[in-house]
Amino acid sequence: DADVTQTPRNRITKTGKRIMLECSQTKGHDRMYWYRQDPGLGLRLIYYSFDVKDINKGEISDGYSVSRQAQAKFSLSLESAIPNQTALYFCATSVADTDTQYFGPGTRLTVL
Amino acid sequence: GQQLNQSPQSMFIQEGEDVSMNCTSSSIFNTWLWYKQDPGEGPVLLIALYKAGELTSNGRLTAQFGITRKDSFLNISASIPSDVGIYFCAGQSNSNYQLIWGAGTKLIIKP
């Protein structure tokens, strides 16, 4: 079984809809991250959480919100999706005292 | 903000050739990481570097942490078809624990 799972894997939605992307991990890591990947731009950090009570904005948090429901679950929401939020979204986890991040398989989101 | 320049953006190589790619930063990093992303999957860590000058190998892959702490390179020797994918560098400084990512190098092997 995968250590970091993301649901859904693919989603097509319309402008203005609310969307939630979910991430679960069985690695027991405290830290979780949400990234967005666009062609030619690499990975950009949206939000990160160092534990259940800790939520921090990343480089591109506008238009997104997150919820850390438990150590193992970290969800990303788009309250009102817009076309330029079409991208590949990755969840990642890490142990508190290391830099190595472990990634989920990604969610491909298309906003029409 | 911190910037990472990764080059080249893409490479077309023949099977069996050696590959080299690098990343440079506008500021000092204390950690350099190299990841590979296969199509339809998330990035997977290849090599982690923690000391200036450090040279680390993982099979046919070798990476070095530059002496100035502002650059790193990754070499792949004798490339094979499964090496295709996108390679990312990422760096971290003590002043900002967030990873800064390069834009990626896409490796394509000519048939």
Side-chain angles (χ1 to χ4, degrees):
Chain A
D1 287 340
D3 295 320
V4 184
T5 58
Q6 292 183 234
T7 56
R9 292 296 311 276
N10 288 283
R11 181 73 185 267
I12 300 173
T13 191
K14 294 182 179 178
T15 297
K17 293 291 187 181
R18 184 178 187 274
I19 295 297
M20 179 180 286
L21 310 182
E22 299 189 359
C23 177
S24 294
Q25 53 118 343
T26 58
K27 299 183 80 67
H29 290 172
D30 287 323
R31 299 184 177 185
M32 298 187 74
Y33 311 79
W34 274 105
Y35 287 94
R36 161 178 179 157
Q37 184 177 30
D38 297 278
L41 293 179
L43 292 161
R44 293 185 291 168
L45 184 64
I46 306 172
Y47 270 96
Y48 60 100
S49 167
F50 282 178
D51 63 42
V52 175
K53 297 180 181 179
D54 177 77
I55 301 288
N56 303 282
K57 291 183 178 181
E59 179 187 353
I60 53 164
S61 59
D62 287 348
Y64 302 94
S65 62
V66 291
S67 173
R68 184 81 185 266
Q69 300 96 321
Q71 188 206 34
K73 295 185 182 295
F74 192 36
S75 59
L76 175 72
S77 293
L78 288 67
E79 296 300 325
S80 180
I82 56 177
N84 76 2
Q85 291 178 311
T86 293
L88 194 52
Y89 290 85
F90 286 102
C91 172
T93 73
S94 70
V95 178
D97 59 352
T98 73
D99 313 305
T100 305
Q101 294 182 15
Y102 298 86
F103 285 80
T107 294
R108 185 169 294 282
L109 177 66
T110 303
V111 183
L112 302 176
Chain B
Q2 292 175 308
Q3 299 286 331
L4 264 189
N5 293 312
Q6 185 171 351
S7 64
Q9 283 188 325
S10 61
M11 302 180 72
F12 290 81
I13 61 168
Q14 299 278 6
E15 184 176 347
E17 286 183 355
D18 295 343
V19 172
S20 184
M21 60 191 78
N22 68 84
C23 279
T24 58
S25 168
S26 58
S27 54
I28 291 173
F29 284 141
N30 294 302
T31 300
W32 282 97
L33 305 172
W34 284 93
Y35 282 82
K36 183 193 177 195
Q37 184 180 22
D38 290 321
E41 298 182 15
V44 174
L45 182 68
L46 298 173
I47 294 178
L49 303 160
Y50 299 104
K51 291 183 185 178
E54 181 181 356
L55 186 70
T56 298
S57 293
N58 177 5
R60 293 177 296 105
L61 278 62
T62 302
Q64 185 159 28
F65 192 141
I67 291 292
T68 65
R69 295 164 66 192
K70 291 186 176 182
D71 62 341
S72 177
F73 72 74
L74 175 70
N75 286 343
I76 305 172
S77 62
S79 57
I80 60 177
S82 62
D83 290 335
V84 299
I86 304 177
Y87 292 80
F88 291 100
C89 62
Q92 186 187 60
S93 65
N94 281 349
S95 63
N96 183 346
Y97 42 77
Q98 296 178 28
L99 284 180
I100 307 299
W101 292 79
T105 295
K106 188 172 185 178
L107 187 61
I108 302 163
I109 294 186
K110 299 175 191 173

